[in-house]
Amino acid sequence: MSSREPVSRRTRPAKAPLSRAAIVDAALRVLERDGGSKLTMRRVAAELDTGPASLYVYVRNTTGLHALLIDRLLASLDLAWDGAEPWRERLHRVLADYRGLLAERPEIARGALSVWPDGPNYLDLVELLLRLLAAAGVDQRAAAWAVDLLLQHVSAAAAEWAERAADAGQDLDDLSATLASADPRRHPVLASFDTALLTAGDPEIRDRWAVDVLIDGVLARSAPAGA
Amino acid sequence: MSSREPVSRRTRPAKAPLSRAAIVDAALRVLERDGGSKLTMRRVAAELDTGPASLYVYVRNTTGLHALLIDRLLASLDLAWDGAEPWRERLHRVLADYRGLLAERPEIARGALSVWPDGPNYLDLVELLLRLLAAAGVDQRAAAWAVDLLLQHVSAAAAEWAERAADAGQDLDDLSATLASADPRRHPVLASFDTALLTAGDPEIRDRWAVDVLIDGVLARSAPAGA
DNA sequence: ACCTGAACACCGTTCAAGT
DNA sequence: ACCTGAACACCGTTCAAGT
Protein backbone atom coordinates (compact mmCIF):
# COMPACT_ATOMS: atom_id res chain seq x y z
CA MET A 1 0.00 0.00 0.00
CA SER A 2 2.90 2.35 0.63
CA SER A 3 3.88 2.53 -3.01
CA ARG A 4 2.02 2.36 -6.26
CA GLU A 5 3.64 0.18 -8.78
CA PRO A 6 3.14 1.03 -12.38
CA VAL A 7 0.34 -1.01 -13.86
CA SER A 8 0.59 -2.53 -17.27
CA ARG A 9 -1.93 -1.19 -19.72
CA ARG A 10 -3.99 -4.33 -19.56
CA THR A 11 -5.30 -5.95 -16.40
CA ARG A 12 -4.37 -9.31 -17.82
CA PRO A 13 -0.85 -10.29 -16.73
CA ALA A 14 1.89 -9.82 -19.26
CA LYS A 15 1.31 -12.21 -22.12
CA ALA A 16 2.58 -15.59 -21.01
CA PRO A 17 4.64 -17.61 -23.46
CA LEU A 18 2.69 -20.08 -25.51
CA SER A 19 2.92 -23.76 -24.68
CA ARG A 20 0.77 -26.86 -24.76
CA ALA A 21 -0.08 -26.38 -21.10
CA ALA A 22 -0.99 -22.72 -21.56
CA ILE A 23 -3.28 -23.67 -24.44
CA VAL A 24 -5.07 -26.33 -22.41
CA ASP A 25 -5.49 -23.87 -19.54
CA ALA A 26 -7.00 -21.33 -21.87
CA ALA A 27 -9.25 -23.98 -23.43
CA LEU A 28 -10.51 -24.97 -19.99
CA ARG A 29 -11.28 -21.35 -19.19
CA VAL A 30 -13.21 -20.95 -22.43
CA LEU A 31 -15.08 -24.18 -21.77
CA GLU A 32 -16.18 -23.16 -18.29
CA ARG A 33 -17.03 -19.59 -19.27
CA ASP A 34 -18.63 -19.99 -22.69
CA GLY A 35 -19.62 -23.64 -22.85
CA GLY A 36 -18.56 -26.45 -25.11
CA SER A 37 -20.07 -25.12 -28.31
CA LYS A 38 -17.75 -22.12 -28.11
CA LEU A 39 -14.64 -24.19 -27.65
CA THR A 40 -13.03 -23.26 -30.93
CA MET A 41 -9.49 -22.64 -32.03
CA ARG A 42 -10.29 -18.98 -32.59
CA ARG A 43 -11.73 -18.41 -29.14
CA VAL A 44 -8.91 -20.22 -27.39
CA ALA A 45 -6.45 -18.14 -29.40
CA ALA A 46 -8.32 -14.97 -28.44
CA GLU A 47 -8.16 -16.04 -24.80
CA LEU A 48 -4.38 -16.10 -25.25
CA ASP A 49 -4.32 -12.73 -27.01
CA THR A 50 -3.10 -14.13 -30.27
CA GLY A 51 -4.36 -15.31 -33.60
CA PRO A 52 -5.56 -18.83 -34.28
CA ALA A 53 -2.54 -19.64 -36.41
CA SER A 54 -0.34 -19.64 -33.33
CA LEU A 55 -2.06 -22.66 -31.85
CA TYR A 56 -1.05 -24.84 -34.75
CA VAL A 57 2.52 -24.80 -33.53
CA TYR A 58 1.43 -26.87 -30.51
CA VAL A 59 -1.77 -28.63 -31.55
CA ARG A 60 -2.31 -30.58 -34.74
CA ASN A 61 -5.94 -29.60 -35.16
CA THR A 62 -9.22 -29.17 -33.33
CA THR A 63 -9.37 -32.87 -32.55
CA GLY A 64 -5.98 -32.64 -30.89
CA LEU A 65 -7.22 -29.77 -28.76
CA HIS A 66 -10.17 -31.87 -27.66
CA ALA A 67 -7.97 -34.84 -26.81
CA LEU A 68 -5.82 -32.65 -24.59
CA LEU A 69 -8.84 -31.15 -22.90
CA ILE A 70 -10.49 -34.49 -22.18
CA ASP A 71 -7.40 -35.66 -20.40
CA ARG A 72 -7.41 -32.46 -18.40
CA LEU A 73 -11.04 -32.92 -17.38
CA LEU A 74 -10.23 -36.45 -16.29
CA ALA A 75 -7.97 -34.96 -13.64
CA SER A 76 -10.99 -34.19 -11.47
CA LEU A 77 -12.07 -37.84 -11.35
CA ASP A 78 -11.56 -39.96 -8.25
CA LEU A 79 -9.58 -42.93 -9.56
CA ALA A 80 -8.53 -44.54 -6.29
CA TRP A 81 -9.46 -48.08 -5.31
CA ASP A 82 -8.20 -49.88 -2.26
CA GLY A 83 -10.14 -53.07 -2.91
CA ALA A 84 -12.59 -52.50 -0.07
CA GLU A 85 -15.46 -51.45 -2.32
CA PRO A 86 -16.72 -54.37 -4.44
CA TRP A 87 -15.36 -54.19 -7.97
CA ARG A 88 -18.75 -53.97 -9.63
CA GLU A 89 -19.82 -51.03 -7.48
CA ARG A 90 -16.52 -49.29 -8.04
CA LEU A 91 -16.91 -49.78 -11.77
CA HIS A 92 -20.41 -48.31 -11.72
CA ARG A 93 -19.16 -45.36 -9.75
CA VAL A 94 -16.21 -44.45 -11.94
CA LEU A 95 -18.26 -44.83 -15.11
CA ALA A 96 -21.08 -42.70 -13.67
CA ASP A 97 -18.52 -40.06 -12.67
CA TYR A 98 -17.03 -40.03 -16.14
CA ARG A 99 -20.45 -39.89 -17.73
CA GLY A 100 -21.38 -36.95 -15.52
CA LEU A 101 -18.23 -35.14 -16.55
CA LEU A 102 -19.04 -35.58 -20.22
CA ALA A 103 -22.79 -35.07 -20.01
CA GLU A 104 -22.29 -31.46 -18.98
CA ARG A 105 -20.24 -30.91 -22.12
CA PRO A 106 -21.92 -32.59 -25.08
CA GLU A 107 -19.42 -31.40 -27.66
CA ILE A 108 -16.64 -32.89 -25.60
CA ALA A 109 -18.53 -36.16 -25.24
CA ARG A 110 -18.75 -36.36 -29.00
CA GLY A 111 -15.04 -35.75 -29.18
CA ALA A 112 -14.36 -38.52 -26.69
CA LEU A 113 -15.97 -40.94 -29.13
CA SER A 114 -13.55 -40.41 -31.93
CA VAL A 115 -10.46 -39.39 -30.04
CA TRP A 116 -8.18 -41.40 -27.87
CA PRO A 117 -7.56 -38.90 -25.14
CA ASP A 118 -3.90 -38.23 -24.89
CA GLY A 119 -2.34 -37.87 -21.47
CA PRO A 120 -1.55 -39.18 -18.02
CA ASN A 121 -5.04 -38.99 -16.56
CA TYR A 122 -6.45 -41.15 -19.31
CA LEU A 123 -3.83 -43.76 -18.49
CA ASP A 124 -4.89 -43.61 -14.83
CA LEU A 125 -8.48 -44.27 -15.85
CA VAL A 126 -7.54 -47.20 -18.06
CA GLU A 127 -5.38 -48.58 -15.27
CA LEU A 128 -8.29 -48.49 -12.83
CA LEU A 129 -10.62 -50.18 -15.29
CA LEU A 130 -8.11 -52.93 -15.99
CA ARG A 131 -7.61 -53.51 -12.24
CA LEU A 132 -11.36 -53.80 -11.69
CA LEU A 133 -11.79 -56.17 -14.61
CA ALA A 134 -8.90 -58.29 -13.39
CA ALA A 135 -10.58 -58.46 -9.97
CA ALA A 136 -13.70 -59.64 -11.77
CA GLY A 137 -11.70 -62.48 -13.24
CA VAL A 138 -11.80 -61.25 -16.82
CA ASP A 139 -8.97 -62.44 -19.05
CA GLN A 140 -6.56 -60.02 -20.73
CA ARG A 141 -8.02 -59.98 -24.19
CA ALA A 142 -11.58 -59.51 -22.95
CA ALA A 143 -10.40 -56.85 -20.50
CA ALA A 144 -8.63 -54.87 -23.20
CA TRP A 145 -11.68 -54.92 -25.45
CA ALA A 146 -14.01 -54.28 -22.53
CA VAL A 147 -12.19 -51.05 -21.66
CA ASP A 148 -12.89 -49.81 -25.15
CA LEU A 149 -16.49 -50.93 -25.00
CA LEU A 150 -17.16 -49.40 -21.59
CA LEU A 151 -15.60 -46.05 -22.45
CA GLN A 152 -17.34 -45.99 -25.79
CA HIS A 153 -20.66 -46.66 -24.11
CA VAL A 154 -20.15 -43.92 -21.56
CA SER A 155 -19.20 -41.36 -24.20
CA ALA A 156 -22.13 -42.28 -26.41
CA ALA A 157 -24.56 -42.25 -23.50
CA ALA A 158 -23.29 -38.88 -22.34
CA ALA A 159 -23.58 -37.42 -25.83
CA GLU A 160 -27.10 -38.77 -26.13
CA TRP A 161 -28.17 -37.46 -22.72
CA ALA A 162 -26.79 -34.04 -23.35
CA GLU A 163 -28.25 -33.79 -26.82
CA ARG A 164 -31.68 -34.80 -25.65
CA ALA A 165 -31.52 -32.41 -22.74
CA ALA A 166 -30.61 -29.56 -25.07
CA ASP A 167 -33.46 -30.27 -27.46
CA ALA A 168 -35.86 -30.46 -24.55
CA GLY A 169 -39.15 -32.10 -25.46
CA GLN A 170 -39.32 -31.23 -29.13
CA ASP A 171 -37.52 -34.18 -30.63
CA LEU A 172 -39.01 -36.59 -28.16
CA ASP A 173 -42.43 -35.52 -29.31
CA ASP A 174 -41.39 -36.18 -32.90
CA LEU A 175 -40.28 -39.65 -31.93
CA SER A 176 -43.44 -40.40 -30.01
CA ALA A 177 -45.45 -39.32 -33.01
CA THR A 178 -43.37 -41.55 -35.29
CA LEU A 179 -43.81 -44.51 -32.97
CA ALA A 180 -47.50 -43.88 -32.60
CA SER A 181 -47.81 -43.86 -36.38
CA ALA A 182 -46.68 -47.49 -36.52
CA ASP A 183 -49.11 -49.43 -38.64
CA PRO A 184 -50.10 -52.58 -36.72
CA ARG A 185 -50.03 -54.58 -39.94
CA ARG A 186 -46.56 -53.47 -40.92
CA HIS A 187 -45.13 -53.26 -37.40
CA PRO A 188 -47.13 -55.70 -35.28
CA VAL A 189 -44.50 -56.18 -32.58
CA LEU A 190 -43.81 -52.48 -32.26
CA ALA A 191 -47.50 -51.67 -32.17
CA SER A 192 -48.02 -54.15 -29.35
CA PHE A 193 -45.26 -52.44 -27.35
CA ASP A 194 -45.72 -50.03 -24.55
CA THR A 195 -44.09 -47.13 -26.38
CA ALA A 196 -43.32 -45.45 -23.07
CA LEU A 197 -40.67 -48.13 -22.63
CA LEU A 198 -38.89 -47.02 -25.77
CA THR A 199 -38.80 -43.31 -25.11
CA ALA A 200 -38.96 -42.92 -21.35
CA GLY A 201 -37.50 -44.32 -18.19
CA ASP A 202 -35.27 -42.77 -15.60
CA PRO A 203 -31.91 -42.30 -17.36
CA GLU A 204 -29.98 -43.20 -14.21
CA ILE A 205 -31.72 -46.56 -13.95
CA ARG A 206 -31.43 -47.18 -17.66
CA ASP A 207 -27.75 -46.43 -17.67
CA ARG A 208 -27.04 -48.59 -14.64
CA TRP A 209 -28.87 -51.38 -16.42
CA ALA A 210 -26.79 -50.80 -19.56
CA VAL A 211 -23.53 -50.98 -17.63
CA ASP A 212 -24.67 -54.18 -15.91
CA VAL A 213 -25.49 -55.61 -19.32
CA LEU A 214 -21.98 -54.81 -20.49
CA ILE A 215 -20.39 -56.30 -17.39
CA ASP A 216 -22.43 -59.49 -17.50
CA GLY A 217 -21.78 -59.86 -21.19
CA VAL A 218 -18.05 -59.43 -20.76
CA LEU A 219 -18.03 -62.01 -17.98
CA ALA A 220 -19.94 -64.41 -20.20
CA ARG A 221 -17.56 -63.81 -23.12
CA SER A 222 -14.34 -64.00 -21.12
CA ALA A 223 -12.22 -67.13 -20.94
CA PRO A 224 -12.50 -68.97 -17.62
CA ALA A 225 -10.72 -67.11 -14.81
CA GLY A 226 -7.01 -67.73 -14.74
CA ALA A 227 -6.87 -68.88 -18.35
CA MET B 1 -34.79 -37.99 -83.55
CA SER B 2 -37.09 -36.58 -86.19
CA SER B 3 -37.63 -33.31 -84.42
CA ARG B 4 -35.57 -31.14 -82.10
CA GLU B 5 -37.41 -29.92 -79.13
CA PRO B 6 -36.43 -26.61 -77.65
CA VAL B 7 -34.05 -27.08 -74.77
CA SER B 8 -34.32 -25.05 -71.63
CA ARG B 9 -31.37 -22.84 -70.95
CA ARG B 10 -30.05 -25.14 -68.25
CA THR B 11 -29.40 -28.83 -68.69
CA ARG B 12 -30.95 -29.47 -65.28
CA PRO B 13 -34.68 -30.15 -65.63
CA ALA B 14 -36.95 -27.27 -64.81
CA LYS B 15 -36.66 -26.47 -61.14
CA ALA B 16 -38.82 -28.97 -59.29
CA PRO B 17 -41.00 -27.68 -56.48
CA LEU B 18 -39.44 -27.88 -53.07
CA SER B 19 -40.60 -30.57 -50.67
CA ARG B 20 -39.26 -32.73 -47.92
CA ALA B 21 -38.76 -35.57 -50.39
CA ALA B 22 -36.97 -33.35 -52.90
CA ILE B 23 -34.63 -32.14 -50.17
CA VAL B 24 -33.75 -35.65 -49.05
CA ASP B 25 -33.13 -36.64 -52.67
CA ALA B 26 -30.79 -33.72 -53.12
CA ALA B 27 -29.04 -34.48 -49.83
CA LEU B 28 -28.48 -38.06 -50.95
CA ARG B 29 -26.99 -36.84 -54.22
CA VAL B 30 -24.65 -34.49 -52.36
CA LEU B 31 -23.68 -37.27 -49.98
CA GLU B 32 -22.80 -39.71 -52.75
CA ARG B 33 -21.03 -37.13 -54.87
CA ASP B 34 -19.15 -35.00 -52.31
CA GLY B 35 -19.04 -37.15 -49.21
CA GLY B 36 -20.46 -36.70 -45.75
CA SER B 37 -18.31 -33.75 -44.74
CA LYS B 38 -19.86 -31.69 -47.50
CA LEU B 39 -23.41 -32.52 -46.52
CA THR B 40 -24.36 -29.01 -45.49
CA MET B 41 -27.51 -26.97 -45.72
CA ARG B 42 -25.83 -24.65 -48.20
CA ARG B 43 -24.71 -27.39 -50.54
CA VAL B 44 -28.06 -29.15 -50.49
CA ALA B 45 -29.71 -25.83 -51.22
CA ALA B 46 -27.29 -25.23 -54.08
CA GLU B 47 -28.12 -28.68 -55.43
CA LEU B 48 -31.72 -27.48 -55.55
CA ASP B 49 -30.80 -24.18 -57.19
CA THR B 50 -31.92 -22.10 -54.28
CA GLY B 51 -30.59 -20.39 -51.20
CA PRO B 52 -30.17 -22.14 -47.86
CA ALA B 53 -33.03 -20.21 -46.30
CA SER B 54 -35.51 -22.14 -48.40
CA LEU B 55 -34.72 -25.41 -46.69
CA TYR B 56 -35.85 -24.10 -43.34
CA VAL B 57 -39.43 -24.23 -44.50
CA TYR B 58 -39.22 -28.03 -44.55
CA VAL B 59 -36.40 -28.95 -42.17
CA ARG B 60 -35.96 -27.62 -38.65
CA ASN B 61 -32.17 -27.58 -38.75
CA THR B 62 -29.12 -29.56 -39.81
CA THR B 63 -29.92 -32.29 -37.31
CA GLY B 64 -33.35 -32.67 -38.88
CA LEU B 65 -31.74 -33.05 -42.29
CA HIS B 66 -29.51 -35.80 -40.94
CA ALA B 67 -32.44 -37.63 -39.33
CA LEU B 68 -34.26 -37.65 -42.65
CA LEU B 69 -31.20 -38.86 -44.50
CA ILE B 70 -30.47 -41.69 -42.09
CA ASP B 71 -33.95 -43.03 -42.60
CA ARG B 72 -33.43 -42.83 -46.33
CA LEU B 73 -30.15 -44.74 -46.15
CA LEU B 74 -31.89 -47.40 -44.08
CA ALA B 75 -34.05 -48.15 -47.12
CA SER B 76 -31.20 -50.15 -48.65
CA LEU B 77 -31.04 -52.54 -45.70
CA ASP B 78 -32.39 -56.07 -45.90
CA LEU B 79 -34.84 -56.25 -43.02
CA ALA B 80 -36.60 -59.50 -43.80
CA TRP B 81 -36.65 -62.50 -41.47
CA ASP B 82 -38.65 -65.62 -42.02
CA GLY B 83 -37.45 -67.33 -38.86
CA ALA B 84 -35.26 -69.83 -40.71
CA GLU B 85 -31.99 -68.13 -39.85
CA PRO B 86 -31.22 -68.37 -36.10
CA TRP B 87 -32.08 -65.14 -34.32
CA ARG B 88 -28.55 -64.49 -33.10
CA GLU B 89 -27.10 -64.80 -36.60
CA ARG B 90 -29.82 -62.61 -38.05
CA LEU B 91 -29.10 -60.01 -35.39
CA HIS B 92 -25.38 -60.04 -36.17
CA ARG B 93 -26.14 -59.67 -39.83
CA VAL B 94 -28.51 -56.73 -39.61
CA LEU B 95 -26.25 -54.88 -37.18
CA ALA B 96 -23.22 -55.50 -39.38
CA ASP B 97 -25.17 -54.24 -42.39
CA TYR B 98 -26.20 -51.11 -40.52
CA ARG B 99 -22.67 -50.56 -39.28
CA GLY B 100 -21.34 -50.89 -42.82
CA LEU B 101 -23.85 -48.33 -44.02
CA LEU B 102 -22.74 -45.82 -41.40
CA ALA B 103 -19.03 -46.59 -41.48
CA GLU B 104 -18.80 -45.27 -45.02
CA ARG B 105 -20.25 -41.98 -43.83
CA PRO B 106 -18.68 -40.96 -40.51
CA GLU B 107 -20.51 -37.67 -40.20
CA ILE B 108 -23.79 -39.50 -40.59
CA ALA B 109 -22.77 -42.06 -38.01
CA ARG B 110 -22.14 -39.23 -35.57
CA GLY B 111 -25.56 -37.90 -36.39
CA ALA B 112 -27.16 -41.27 -35.74
CA LEU B 113 -25.89 -41.07 -32.19
CA SER B 114 -27.77 -37.95 -31.24
CA VAL B 115 -30.73 -38.19 -33.53
CA TRP B 116 -33.65 -40.52 -33.50
CA PRO B 117 -33.98 -41.14 -37.19
CA ASP B 118 -37.38 -40.12 -38.33
CA GLY B 119 -39.21 -42.22 -40.81
CA PRO B 120 -40.69 -45.51 -41.92
CA ASN B 121 -37.45 -47.40 -42.53
CA TYR B 122 -36.27 -46.76 -39.01
CA LEU B 123 -39.51 -48.27 -37.76
CA ASP B 124 -38.90 -51.33 -39.92
CA LEU B 125 -35.46 -51.73 -38.35
CA VAL B 126 -36.81 -51.41 -34.82
CA GLU B 127 -39.54 -53.90 -35.65
CA LEU B 128 -36.99 -56.47 -36.81
CA LEU B 129 -34.83 -55.98 -33.72
CA LEU B 130 -37.83 -56.39 -31.44
CA ARG B 131 -38.88 -59.56 -33.25
CA LEU B 132 -35.40 -61.04 -32.89
CA LEU B 133 -35.19 -60.14 -29.22
CA ALA B 134 -38.62 -61.63 -28.61
CA ALA B 135 -37.43 -64.81 -30.31
CA ALA B 136 -34.49 -64.78 -27.92
CA GLY B 137 -36.91 -64.75 -25.01
CA VAL B 138 -36.09 -61.23 -23.89
CA ASP B 139 -38.82 -59.46 -21.93
CA GLN B 140 -40.41 -56.22 -23.17
CA ARG B 141 -38.57 -53.78 -20.95
CA ALA B 142 -35.18 -55.32 -21.64
CA ALA B 143 -35.98 -55.51 -25.36
CA ALA B 144 -36.92 -51.85 -25.53
CA TRP B 145 -33.73 -50.79 -23.82
CA ALA B 146 -31.67 -53.29 -25.77
CA VAL B 147 -32.78 -51.76 -29.07
CA ASP B 148 -31.40 -48.45 -27.90
CA LEU B 149 -28.20 -50.02 -26.66
CA LEU B 150 -27.60 -52.04 -29.82
CA LEU B 151 -28.23 -49.13 -32.16
CA GLN B 152 -26.11 -46.84 -30.02
CA HIS B 153 -23.29 -49.32 -30.09
CA VAL B 154 -23.45 -49.69 -33.84
CA SER B 155 -23.45 -45.95 -34.42
CA ALA B 156 -20.57 -45.38 -32.03
CA ALA B 157 -18.57 -48.25 -33.48
CA ALA B 158 -19.15 -46.99 -37.01
CA ALA B 159 -18.10 -43.46 -36.07
CA GLU B 160 -14.99 -44.81 -34.41
CA TRP B 161 -14.07 -47.05 -37.36
CA ALA B 162 -14.52 -44.29 -39.84
CA GLU B 163 -12.63 -41.73 -37.82
CA ARG B 164 -9.69 -44.04 -37.31
CA ALA B 165 -9.66 -44.97 -40.96
CA ALA B 166 -9.59 -41.31 -41.95
CA ASP B 167 -6.73 -40.48 -39.63
CA ALA B 168 -4.77 -43.45 -40.93
CA GLY B 169 -1.87 -44.39 -38.71
CA GLN B 170 -1.06 -41.02 -37.22
CA ASP B 171 -3.30 -41.05 -34.18
CA LEU B 172 -2.74 -44.70 -33.56
CA ASP B 173 0.97 -44.00 -33.32
CA ASP B 174 0.24 -41.29 -30.78
CA LEU B 175 -1.77 -43.72 -28.72
CA SER B 176 0.87 -46.42 -28.89
CA ALA B 177 3.42 -43.89 -27.72
CA THR B 178 1.18 -42.84 -24.84
CA LEU B 179 0.60 -46.45 -23.84
CA ALA B 180 4.28 -47.27 -24.10
CA SER B 181 5.05 -44.32 -21.83
CA ALA B 182 3.10 -45.98 -19.01
CA ASP B 183 5.27 -45.94 -15.90
CA PRO B 184 5.27 -49.47 -14.43
CA ARG B 185 5.10 -48.00 -10.92
CA ARG B 186 2.11 -45.81 -11.62
CA HIS B 187 0.37 -48.15 -14.06
CA PRO B 188 1.48 -51.66 -13.16
CA VAL B 189 -1.48 -53.47 -14.68
CA LEU B 190 -1.33 -51.49 -17.89
CA ALA B 191 2.42 -51.96 -18.14
CA SER B 192 2.00 -55.71 -17.82
CA PHE B 193 -0.50 -55.70 -20.68
CA ASP B 194 0.15 -56.69 -24.20
CA THR B 195 -0.53 -53.24 -25.63
CA ALA B 196 -1.28 -54.74 -29.01
CA LEU B 197 -4.51 -55.98 -27.45
CA LEU B 198 -5.58 -52.44 -26.67
CA THR B 199 -4.89 -50.89 -30.04
CA ALA B 200 -5.10 -53.70 -32.53
CA GLY B 201 -7.22 -56.64 -33.46
CA ASP B 202 -9.30 -57.32 -36.51
CA PRO B 203 -12.20 -54.87 -36.25
CA GLU B 204 -14.65 -57.43 -37.63
CA ILE B 205 -13.81 -59.92 -34.91
CA ARG B 206 -13.79 -57.25 -32.24
CA ASP B 207 -17.16 -55.98 -33.26
CA ARG B 208 -18.70 -59.43 -33.42
CA TRP B 209 -17.37 -60.00 -29.92
CA ALA B 210 -18.88 -56.69 -28.78
CA VAL B 211 -22.30 -57.57 -30.16
CA ASP B 212 -22.14 -60.99 -28.50
CA VAL B 213 -21.28 -59.25 -25.24
CA LEU B 214 -24.34 -57.07 -25.60
CA ILE B 215 -26.59 -59.99 -26.46
CA ASP B 216 -25.35 -62.18 -23.61
CA GLY B 217 -25.63 -59.28 -21.19
CA VAL B 218 -29.18 -58.51 -22.24
CA LEU B 219 -30.12 -62.18 -21.85
CA ALA B 220 -28.59 -62.19 -18.38
CA ARG B 221 -30.40 -58.99 -17.41
CA SER B 222 -33.78 -59.93 -18.84
CA ALA B 223 -36.56 -61.30 -16.70
CA PRO B 224 -37.15 -65.03 -17.21
CA ALA B 225 -38.81 -65.77 -20.54
CA GLY B 226 -42.53 -65.24 -20.52
CA ALA B 227 -42.44 -63.04 -17.45
C1' DA C 1 13.97 -19.40 -35.79
C1' DC C 2 9.81 -18.56 -34.21
C1' DC C 3 5.44 -16.58 -34.52
C1' DT C 4 1.23 -14.58 -36.63
C1' DG C 5 -1.82 -11.16 -39.68
C1' DA C 6 -4.49 -11.69 -43.08
C1' DA C 7 -6.69 -14.31 -46.30
C1' DC C 8 -9.18 -18.33 -48.17
C1' DA C 9 -12.90 -21.06 -48.26
C1' DC C 10 -16.27 -22.18 -46.06
C1' DC C 11 -20.37 -22.74 -42.21
C1' DG C 12 -25.84 -22.36 -39.83
C1' DT C 13 -29.52 -19.49 -39.21
C1' DT C 14 -32.46 -15.37 -39.45
C1' DC C 15 -35.36 -11.91 -41.31
C1' DA C 16 -36.76 -8.20 -44.14
C1' DA C 17 -38.18 -7.80 -48.45
C1' DG C 18 -39.76 -9.52 -52.61
C1' DT C 19 -43.29 -12.12 -55.93
C1' DA D 1 -49.01 -16.87 -48.73
C1' DC D 2 -44.97 -18.55 -49.87
C1' DC D 3 -40.25 -18.18 -50.77
C1' DT D 4 -35.47 -16.34 -50.61
C1' DG D 5 -31.40 -12.66 -51.17
C1' DA D 6 -28.55 -10.88 -48.43
C1' DA D 7 -26.67 -10.30 -44.16
C1' DC D 8 -24.96 -11.65 -39.54
C1' DA D 9 -21.95 -13.95 -36.90
C1' DC D 10 -19.22 -17.10 -36.95
C1' DC D 11 -15.81 -21.44 -38.32
C1' DG D 12 -10.71 -24.34 -39.39
C1' DT D 13 -6.57 -24.08 -41.61
C1' DT D 14 -2.75 -22.25 -44.40
C1' DC D 15 1.06 -19.48 -45.70
C1' DA D 16 3.55 -15.44 -46.80
C1' DA D 17 5.52 -12.09 -44.41
C1' DG D 18 7.13 -10.10 -40.38
C1' DT D 19 10.35 -9.75 -35.93
Side-chain angles (χ1 to χ4, degrees), chain B residues 85-152:
Chain B
E85 190 177 10
W87 64 263
R88 190 185 281 261
E89 274 316 306
R90 188 66 190 88
L91 193 49
H92 274 296
R93 194 152 64 82
V94 68
L95 293 178
D97 286 351
Y98 186 30
R99 177 168 38 66
L101 205 72
L102 293 177
E104 292 170 34
R105 299 145 178 119
E107 297 80 8
I108 309 298
R110 277 159 164 282
L113 267 165
S114 44
V115 171
W116 266 303
D118 191 11
N121 297 312
Y122 181 66
L123 286 188
D124 287 352
L125 174 59
V126 170
E127 172 79 11
L128 174 60
L129 295 178
L130 289 176
R131 284 177 67 203
L132 292 166
L133 290 165
V138 175
D139 71 273
Q140 274 218 1
R141 198 198 64 159
W145 291 0
V147 167
D148 226 48
L149 196 56
L150 289 168
L151 293 177
Q152 186 196 72

Side-chain angles (χ1 to χ4, degrees), chain A residues 60 110 114 116 118 124 127 152-153 160 164 174-175 178 186-190 213 216-217 221, chain B residues 60 110 114 116 118 124 127 152-153 160 163-164 174-175 178 186-190 213 216-217 221:
Chain A
R60 192 169 15 238
R110 276 158 165 284
S114 45
W116 267 304
D118 190 11
D124 286 352
E127 173 78 11
Q152 185 196 73
H153 166 74
E160 222 178 304
R164 308 264 155 102
D174 286 2
L175 180 65
T178 304
R186 190 181 175 96
H187 306 113
V189 180
L190 186 60
V213 162
D216 289 352
R221 287 281 157 179
Chain B
R60 190 165 20 235
R110 277 159 164 282
S114 44
W116 266 303
D118 191 11
D124 287 352
E127 172 79 11
Q152 186 196 72
H153 166 74
E160 222 177 305
E163 224 84 42
R164 308 263 156 101
D174 286 2
L175 179 65
T178 303
R186 190 183 174 95
H187 305 113
V189 180
L190 186 60
V213 161
D216 289 353
R221 288 280 156 180

Side-chain angles (χ1 to χ4, degrees), chain A residues 41-65:
Chain A
M41 295 296 255
R42 294 182 103 100
R43 278 185 127 91
V44 173
E47 178 73 21
L48 290 164
D49 275 324
T50 185
S54 308
L55 303 189
Y56 286 82
V57 178
Y58 302 93
V59 177
R60 192 169 15 238
N61 51 30
T62 307
T63 302
L65 182 66

